Amino acid sequence: MDKMTDTIEAFLSLRRKATINDVARLAGVSKKTVSRVINNSPSVHARTRDAISEVIARISFQPDPQARGLAFRRSFLIGLIYDNPNAQYIVNMQMGVLDRLRGTGNELVVHPCDWRSDDFIPELRQFLEHQRLAGVIILPPIAEDRRLLDLLDEMEVPRVRVTARAGASNQPTISGQEIVSHDHIGCAEASAHIALLGHRRIGYIGGNLDYPSAHERRRGFDAGLAQHGCAIAPDLDEGGNYSFASGYEAGQRLLTRPDRPTAIICANDEMAAGAYKAAYESGLRIPQDLTVVGFDDAPIADRLSPPLTTVRLPTRDMARMAANLLISPEPSTISHLQVDSKLVVRGSSAKAPNP
Amino acid sequence: MDKMTDTIEAFLSLRRKATINDVARLAGVSKKTVSRVINNSPSVHARTRDAISEVIARISFQPDPQARGLAFRRSFLIGLIYDNPNAQYIVNMQMGVLDRLRGTGNELVVHPCDWRSDDFIPELRQFLEHQRLAGVIILPPIAEDRRLLDLLDEMEVPRVRVTARAGASNQPTISGQEIVSHDHIGCAEASAHIALLGHRRIGYIGGNLDYPSAHERRRGFDAGLAQHGCAIAPDLDEGGNYSFASGYEAGQRLLTRPDRPTAIICANDEMAAGAYKAAYESGLRIPQDLTVVGFDDAPIADRLSPPLTTVRLPTRDMARMAANLLISPEPSTISHLQVDSKLVVRGSSAKAPNP
DNA sequence: ATTATTATGGTAACCGGTGTCATAAGCGTA
DNA sequence: TACGCTTATGACACCGGTTACCATAATAAT
């Protein structure tokens, strides 16, 4: 025992990064046995395991991911693939993934891409062929792209999709694991909230229909209103594309009508901010003259005056869950994890003005 | 030649990822020679090189980064290290780095961290020891952290700092490569712009003094005003911390005074948005009653009503340059690259009201 | 023509882990 | 005590590249 300690100290004085060979030598076993300990192989005697673990701790050995990856024929990198302009969303997702990855020896490789490009699939194929990723997480809207999913299947890359649409909807079922956000829950809360405030003439500014979220949210808003026997006025049903500009323009159209709405529901906060601008320019006060609600709880939501009533999705948690599906030791049989959105009431919603 | 083609086709029909051994066999040379071609070693006959390149192209061989990394004792990963709450800034930086990395076989590993944590340095040490990164890019404000820089030196990790402060200032010089943003240039333009509009009673809401940018920007604003013989009123000089809330509070203090300013300069857009809110609540119209300018050209800048006059930094270009310093083949002797900021005039600045 | 020099390619060992398979150790049973 | 059976460990080749060093062919000098 003393002799071993001596040798360890001799090793430490070298100030060199430890390898599996060092551990094997210092513990007096073969490197294969050390490898077994690292990988929690069952057939190692408890005594041996403890001795080796001791040495590993003393010389703070960490297996080299490159070497391990080479032998395993896969890396310890998780890829995050997306084409999404919402910076806060992306950063939240990254944080969530990293929350789960921290301490596991896996790292996060970010890979934004251009969905519209002809090169979209070839570029991703090259990326995936080059890096043998431990897994990838795909964010909306490209989580719906069949070509991408097929590519991942073909290359046998473990994947988790993040999406707003449950596989059960009109889309053909997509196999594999997914995190499904129930956008409609919070939306129903939000629109019910508006109905309860007495609004009956209600306008809508919708999201980009390429995004499943646009459909999910609309579904939720409709449901919440229906609960109270009301609905979005058909003549106040505007299409948008999730951008500030589209919200502004739709807002102008809605608010310059003689029979303008007393409340506007927006499929995201960006468009709600656009609606604010239109309201401001029309001389309408929020919430006295006009109620506005959004979706996302984006940073802009509480920068607006008054702060925006909106719906929040636990983005970071979703990312954590996605990462967990990829790296948790026992391959989960669960393929669909669902999370709910939630109404956040702030200052932009108030009782409908008396007629 | 035909025989070779046959063999290549035979190989292609295997649909297997190509290795250096395949290339060597198909080209009829040793793997060492292929390695020489991959690494642009000079002593390979042109004829040999062409033949090998041909095979490489035909079977679309790409050297495995894991194996290469193992032999080179370094990875092909660039780390981006930061502790910065500005999502748009982070995403822009990531995009810029990726712009440069695309096609080079290097990937981006993001590593946000917590500067205030006791674990800050140990955590990073572990990260760096574990992944033998090809290089790291450090963003403000932690690009100023001595401990971190010393750690990187000790571990001999190539690094590029992104900072607003030139090494020449009061801080002891920091060796190594850096991208220095000249925040003061655009700030001077902005404040000169205000002076030219006739404002003389000018308030200021400053940034977090832990950030070098806060000092740089102030320096620029002062210089621009001084050019026109004016200055920030000492009694209107408020401290902020770059947050919306701090801008709002400082704005309230400034605008509820009887001798309120006709213009407020903010060290970033978030605080400018806060000042907008304070102005709105005081019943002041922007820009008729109050001129506001910010810094960053954040997304919020043109969501505000009216759109904010601000200063833009070529964030993405900076990141591209930083990545370039790390991966360009010839190790650049240039250690300081400088970029300028630029005034963006929008609707929040106008002539000073007549007294 | 012969030797010295250079250009080029090959062999073997290595980077730091893993898989396969054979063997040694432990252990109840006859 | 001998026997098989299970469990624990080690030897060795391999993952896909690299460098160190040596051998040979081509070229220049004597």
Short mmCIF file of all heavy atoms in Angstrom, two decimals, chain A residues 131-170:
data_model
loop_
_atom_site.label_atom_id
_atom_site.label_comp_id
_atom_site.label_asym_id
_atom_site.label_seq_id
_atom_site.Cartn_x
_atom_site.Cartn_y
_atom_site.Cartn_z
N GLN A 131 -18.61 13.89 -38.16
CA GLN A 131 -18.67 13.75 -36.71
C GLN A 131 -19.61 12.60 -36.42
O GLN A 131 -20.78 12.69 -36.75
CB GLN A 131 -19.24 15.01 -36.07
CG GLN A 131 -18.63 16.30 -36.52
CD GLN A 131 -17.24 16.48 -35.98
OE1 GLN A 131 -16.90 15.92 -34.94
NE2 GLN A 131 -16.44 17.25 -36.68
N ARG A 132 -19.14 11.59 -35.76
CA ARG A 132 -20.07 10.51 -35.42
C ARG A 132 -20.71 10.86 -34.09
O ARG A 132 -20.32 10.37 -33.03
CB ARG A 132 -19.31 9.19 -35.28
CG ARG A 132 -18.46 8.85 -36.47
CD ARG A 132 -17.47 7.76 -36.09
NE ARG A 132 -16.68 7.29 -37.21
CZ ARG A 132 -16.86 6.11 -37.80
NH1 ARG A 132 -17.78 5.29 -37.37
NH2 ARG A 132 -16.10 5.75 -38.81
N LEU A 133 -21.71 11.71 -34.17
CA LEU A 133 -22.30 12.26 -32.96
C LEU A 133 -22.96 11.21 -32.09
O LEU A 133 -23.49 10.21 -32.58
CB LEU A 133 -23.34 13.31 -33.34
CG LEU A 133 -22.79 14.52 -34.10
CD1 LEU A 133 -23.92 15.47 -34.41
CD2 LEU A 133 -21.70 15.21 -33.31
N ALA A 134 -22.93 11.46 -30.80
CA ALA A 134 -23.60 10.58 -29.85
C ALA A 134 -25.11 10.72 -29.99
O ALA A 134 -25.87 9.84 -29.60
CB ALA A 134 -23.17 10.91 -28.43
N GLY A 135 -25.54 11.83 -30.54
CA GLY A 135 -26.97 12.05 -30.72
C GLY A 135 -27.21 13.47 -31.17
O GLY A 135 -26.32 14.32 -31.07
N VAL A 136 -28.39 13.70 -31.70
CA VAL A 136 -28.72 15.06 -32.09
C VAL A 136 -30.10 15.44 -31.57
O VAL A 136 -30.96 14.60 -31.37
CB VAL A 136 -28.72 15.27 -33.62
CG1 VAL A 136 -27.36 14.95 -34.22
CG2 VAL A 136 -29.80 14.44 -34.29
N ILE A 137 -30.24 16.73 -31.33
CA ILE A 137 -31.53 17.30 -30.94
C ILE A 137 -31.92 18.26 -32.05
O ILE A 137 -31.12 19.09 -32.47
CB ILE A 137 -31.39 18.04 -29.60
CG1 ILE A 137 -30.99 17.05 -28.50
CG2 ILE A 137 -32.69 18.76 -29.24
CD1 ILE A 137 -30.61 17.70 -27.19
N ILE A 138 -33.13 18.12 -32.53
CA ILE A 138 -33.59 18.95 -33.65
C ILE A 138 -34.72 19.84 -33.16
O ILE A 138 -35.67 19.38 -32.55
CB ILE A 138 -34.14 18.09 -34.80
CG1 ILE A 138 -33.38 16.76 -34.89
CG2 ILE A 138 -34.05 18.83 -36.10
CD1 ILE A 138 -34.07 15.80 -35.82
N LEU A 139 -34.57 21.11 -33.46
CA LEU A 139 -35.58 22.06 -33.00
C LEU A 139 -36.54 22.43 -34.12
O LEU A 139 -36.21 22.29 -35.30
CB LEU A 139 -34.87 23.33 -32.50
CG LEU A 139 -33.84 23.11 -31.39
CD1 LEU A 139 -33.30 24.45 -30.91
CD2 LEU A 139 -34.46 22.35 -30.23
N PRO A 140 -37.73 22.92 -33.74
CA PRO A 140 -38.67 23.39 -34.75
C PRO A 140 -38.11 24.61 -35.47
O PRO A 140 -37.35 25.36 -34.86
CB PRO A 140 -39.92 23.74 -33.96
CG PRO A 140 -39.52 23.78 -32.52
CD PRO A 140 -38.21 23.10 -32.38
N PRO A 141 -38.45 24.82 -36.73
CA PRO A 141 -39.41 24.03 -37.49
C PRO A 141 -38.79 22.84 -38.24
O PRO A 141 -39.53 22.04 -38.76
CB PRO A 141 -39.95 25.03 -38.49
CG PRO A 141 -38.79 25.92 -38.76
CD PRO A 141 -38.03 26.02 -37.47
N ILE A 142 -37.46 22.73 -38.27
CA ILE A 142 -36.92 21.68 -39.13
C ILE A 142 -37.10 20.30 -38.53
O ILE A 142 -36.85 19.31 -39.20
CB ILE A 142 -35.43 21.92 -39.46
CG1 ILE A 142 -34.59 21.93 -38.20
CG2 ILE A 142 -35.24 23.19 -40.25
CD1 ILE A 142 -33.12 22.00 -38.51
N ALA A 143 -37.57 20.25 -37.28
CA ALA A 143 -37.86 18.94 -36.69
C ALA A 143 -38.97 18.23 -37.45
O ALA A 143 -39.24 17.05 -37.22
CB ALA A 143 -38.24 19.10 -35.22
N GLU A 144 -39.62 18.96 -38.35
CA GLU A 144 -40.69 18.35 -39.15
C GLU A 144 -40.18 17.86 -40.50
O GLU A 144 -40.94 17.28 -41.27
CB GLU A 144 -41.79 19.39 -39.41
CG GLU A 144 -42.35 20.04 -38.17
CD GLU A 144 -43.00 19.03 -37.25
OE1 GLU A 144 -43.70 18.15 -37.75
OE2 GLU A 144 -42.77 19.13 -36.03
N ASP A 145 -38.94 18.14 -40.81
CA ASP A 145 -38.46 17.84 -42.16
C ASP A 145 -38.19 16.35 -42.35
O ASP A 145 -37.28 15.79 -41.75
CB ASP A 145 -37.20 18.67 -42.43
CG ASP A 145 -36.78 18.56 -43.89
OD1 ASP A 145 -36.46 17.45 -44.33
OD2 ASP A 145 -36.82 19.59 -44.58
N ARG A 146 -38.98 15.75 -43.19
CA ARG A 146 -38.88 14.31 -43.47
C ARG A 146 -37.48 13.92 -43.96
O ARG A 146 -36.91 12.92 -43.56
CB ARG A 146 -39.87 13.94 -44.58
CG ARG A 146 -41.14 13.32 -44.11
CD ARG A 146 -40.99 11.81 -43.96
NE ARG A 146 -42.02 11.35 -43.05
CZ ARG A 146 -41.78 10.53 -42.05
NH1 ARG A 146 -40.58 10.06 -41.83
NH2 ARG A 146 -42.76 10.15 -41.26
N ARG A 147 -36.95 14.73 -44.85
CA ARG A 147 -35.65 14.39 -45.45
C ARG A 147 -34.59 14.30 -44.35
O ARG A 147 -33.76 13.39 -44.33
CB ARG A 147 -35.22 15.46 -46.45
CG ARG A 147 -36.16 15.62 -47.63
CD ARG A 147 -35.82 16.89 -48.38
NE ARG A 147 -35.93 18.07 -47.51
CZ ARG A 147 -35.39 19.25 -47.79
NH1 ARG A 147 -34.73 19.44 -48.90
NH2 ARG A 147 -35.54 20.27 -46.95
N LEU A 148 -34.67 15.25 -43.42
CA LEU A 148 -33.70 15.25 -42.33
C LEU A 148 -33.88 14.02 -41.46
O LEU A 148 -32.91 13.34 -41.08
CB LEU A 148 -33.86 16.53 -41.51
CG LEU A 148 -33.05 16.62 -40.23
CD1 LEU A 148 -31.57 16.38 -40.51
CD2 LEU A 148 -33.23 17.98 -39.58
N LEU A 149 -35.13 13.71 -41.15
CA LEU A 149 -35.37 12.57 -40.28
C LEU A 149 -34.93 11.28 -40.96
O LEU A 149 -34.33 10.40 -40.34
CB LEU A 149 -36.87 12.51 -39.92
CG LEU A 149 -37.36 13.74 -39.14
CD1 LEU A 149 -38.86 13.70 -38.97
CD2 LEU A 149 -36.66 13.85 -37.80
N ASP A 150 -35.21 11.18 -42.25
CA ASP A 150 -34.77 9.99 -42.99
C ASP A 150 -33.26 9.88 -42.98
O ASP A 150 -32.70 8.80 -42.81
CB ASP A 150 -35.28 10.05 -44.43
CG ASP A 150 -36.79 9.85 -44.49
OD1 ASP A 150 -37.35 9.37 -43.48
OD2 ASP A 150 -37.39 10.17 -45.52
N LEU A 151 -32.62 11.02 -43.17
CA LEU A 151 -31.16 11.03 -43.16
C LEU A 151 -30.63 10.50 -41.84
O LEU A 151 -29.72 9.65 -41.79
CB LEU A 151 -30.66 12.46 -43.40
CG LEU A 151 -29.16 12.67 -43.36
CD1 LEU A 151 -28.48 11.88 -44.46
CD2 LEU A 151 -28.81 14.14 -43.47
N LEU A 152 -31.23 10.97 -40.75
CA LEU A 152 -30.77 10.54 -39.44
C LEU A 152 -31.02 9.05 -39.24
O LEU A 152 -30.19 8.34 -38.65
CB LEU A 152 -31.47 11.35 -38.35
CG LEU A 152 -31.05 12.82 -38.31
CD1 LEU A 152 -31.98 13.62 -37.43
CD2 LEU A 152 -29.63 12.94 -37.81
N ASP A 153 -32.14 8.58 -39.72
CA ASP A 153 -32.42 7.15 -39.61
C ASP A 153 -31.38 6.36 -40.40
O ASP A 153 -30.81 5.39 -39.91
CB ASP A 153 -33.82 6.84 -40.15
CG ASP A 153 -34.90 7.36 -39.21
OD1 ASP A 153 -34.56 7.70 -38.06
OD2 ASP A 153 -36.07 7.44 -39.63
N GLU A 154 -31.15 6.82 -41.61
CA GLU A 154 -30.21 6.12 -42.48
C GLU A 154 -28.84 6.03 -41.81
O GLU A 154 -28.17 5.00 -41.87
CB GLU A 154 -30.11 6.87 -43.81
CG GLU A 154 -29.09 6.29 -44.77
CD GLU A 154 -28.74 7.28 -45.87
OE1 GLU A 154 -29.61 8.12 -46.23
OE2 GLU A 154 -27.60 7.23 -46.38
N MET A 155 -28.42 7.12 -41.18
CA MET A 155 -27.09 7.12 -40.59
C MET A 155 -27.11 6.58 -39.16
O MET A 155 -26.08 6.54 -38.50
CB MET A 155 -26.53 8.53 -40.61
CG MET A 155 -26.72 9.18 -41.97
SD MET A 155 -25.59 10.52 -42.20
CE MET A 155 -24.08 9.60 -42.29
N GLU A 156 -28.28 6.22 -38.72
CA GLU A 156 -28.42 5.63 -37.40
C GLU A 156 -27.89 6.53 -36.29
O GLU A 156 -27.20 6.09 -35.38
CB GLU A 156 -27.73 4.27 -37.34
CG GLU A 156 -28.33 3.29 -38.35
CD GLU A 156 -27.65 1.94 -38.30
OE1 GLU A 156 -26.41 1.93 -38.25
OE2 GLU A 156 -28.35 0.92 -38.32
N VAL A 157 -28.23 7.81 -36.41
CA VAL A 157 -27.86 8.75 -35.36
C VAL A 157 -29.03 8.87 -34.40
O VAL A 157 -30.14 9.19 -34.84
CB VAL A 157 -27.54 10.14 -35.95
CG1 VAL A 157 -27.14 11.10 -34.87
CG2 VAL A 157 -26.46 10.03 -37.01
N PRO A 158 -28.82 8.61 -33.13
CA PRO A 158 -29.91 8.79 -32.16
C PRO A 158 -30.39 10.23 -32.20
O PRO A 158 -29.58 11.15 -32.28
CB PRO A 158 -29.24 8.47 -30.81
CG PRO A 158 -28.03 7.69 -31.16
CD PRO A 158 -27.59 8.15 -32.51
N ARG A 159 -31.68 10.41 -32.14
CA ARG A 159 -32.20 11.76 -32.30
C ARG A 159 -33.39 11.99 -31.39
O ARG A 159 -34.14 11.07 -31.05
CB ARG A 159 -32.61 12.00 -33.74
CG ARG A 159 -33.69 11.04 -34.21
CD ARG A 159 -34.51 11.65 -35.33
NE ARG A 159 -35.86 11.14 -35.25
CZ ARG A 159 -36.40 10.31 -36.14
NH1 ARG A 159 -35.69 9.92 -37.17
NH2 ARG A 159 -37.64 9.89 -36.00
N VAL A 160 -33.53 13.25 -30.99
CA VAL A 160 -34.73 13.67 -30.28
C VAL A 160 -35.28 14.88 -31.00
O VAL A 160 -34.54 15.82 -31.29
CB VAL A 160 -34.43 14.02 -28.82
CG1 VAL A 160 -35.67 14.56 -28.15
CG2 VAL A 160 -33.93 12.80 -28.06
N ARG A 161 -36.54 14.86 -31.32
CA ARG A 161 -37.18 16.00 -31.95
C ARG A 161 -37.86 16.83 -30.89
O ARG A 161 -38.43 16.30 -29.95
CB ARG A 161 -38.24 15.55 -32.95
CG ARG A 161 -37.78 14.55 -33.97
CD ARG A 161 -38.96 13.94 -34.69
NE ARG A 161 -39.76 14.97 -35.31
CZ ARG A 161 -41.08 15.07 -35.23
NH1 ARG A 161 -41.76 14.17 -34.55
NH2 ARG A 161 -41.72 16.04 -35.82
N VAL A 162 -37.82 18.12 -31.07
CA VAL A 162 -38.61 19.01 -30.23
C VAL A 162 -39.68 19.58 -31.12
O VAL A 162 -39.38 20.15 -32.17
CB VAL A 162 -37.75 20.13 -29.64
CG1 VAL A 162 -38.61 21.13 -28.89
CG2 VAL A 162 -36.68 19.55 -28.73
N THR A 163 -40.90 19.42 -30.73
CA THR A 163 -41.97 19.82 -31.63
C THR A 163 -43.21 20.23 -30.85
O THR A 163 -43.37 19.90 -29.67
CB THR A 163 -42.33 18.68 -32.60
OG1 THR A 163 -43.44 19.05 -33.40
CG2 THR A 163 -42.69 17.42 -31.83
N ALA A 164 -44.08 20.94 -31.52
CA ALA A 164 -45.33 21.34 -30.87
C ALA A 164 -46.45 20.41 -31.26
O ALA A 164 -47.52 20.47 -30.70
CB ALA A 164 -45.69 22.77 -31.27
N ARG A 165 -46.20 19.56 -32.23
CA ARG A 165 -47.28 18.71 -32.69
C ARG A 165 -47.09 17.28 -32.20
O ARG A 165 -46.05 16.67 -32.43
CB ARG A 165 -47.32 18.72 -34.21
CG ARG A 165 -48.24 17.63 -34.74
CD ARG A 165 -48.77 17.93 -36.09
NE ARG A 165 -47.78 18.54 -36.95
CZ ARG A 165 -48.12 19.27 -38.01
NH1 ARG A 165 -49.37 19.51 -38.26
NH2 ARG A 165 -47.20 19.78 -38.77
N ALA A 166 -48.09 16.72 -31.59
CA ALA A 166 -48.02 15.32 -31.21
C ALA A 166 -48.08 14.48 -32.47
O ALA A 166 -48.74 14.84 -33.44
CB ALA A 166 -49.19 14.97 -30.30
N GLY A 167 -47.37 13.37 -32.47
CA GLY A 167 -47.30 12.53 -33.66
C GLY A 167 -48.67 12.10 -34.14
O GLY A 167 -48.86 11.76 -35.30
N ALA A 168 -49.63 12.13 -33.24
CA ALA A 168 -50.95 11.58 -33.55
C ALA A 168 -51.78 12.44 -34.48
O ALA A 168 -52.82 12.00 -34.94
CB ALA A 168 -51.71 11.36 -32.25
N SER A 169 -51.34 13.62 -34.78
CA SER A 169 -52.19 14.50 -35.58
C SER A 169 -52.24 14.05 -37.04
O SER A 169 -51.87 12.94 -37.37
CB SER A 169 -51.68 15.94 -35.48
OG SER A 169 -50.52 16.08 -36.23
N ASN A 170 -52.65 14.92 -37.89
CA ASN A 170 -52.87 14.54 -39.28
C ASN A 170 -51.59 14.11 -40.03
O ASN A 170 -51.65 13.50 -41.08
CB ASN A 170 -53.54 15.69 -40.04
CG ASN A 170 -52.79 17.00 -39.83
OD1 ASN A 170 -51.85 17.05 -39.02
ND2 ASN A 170 -53.18 18.03 -40.53
#
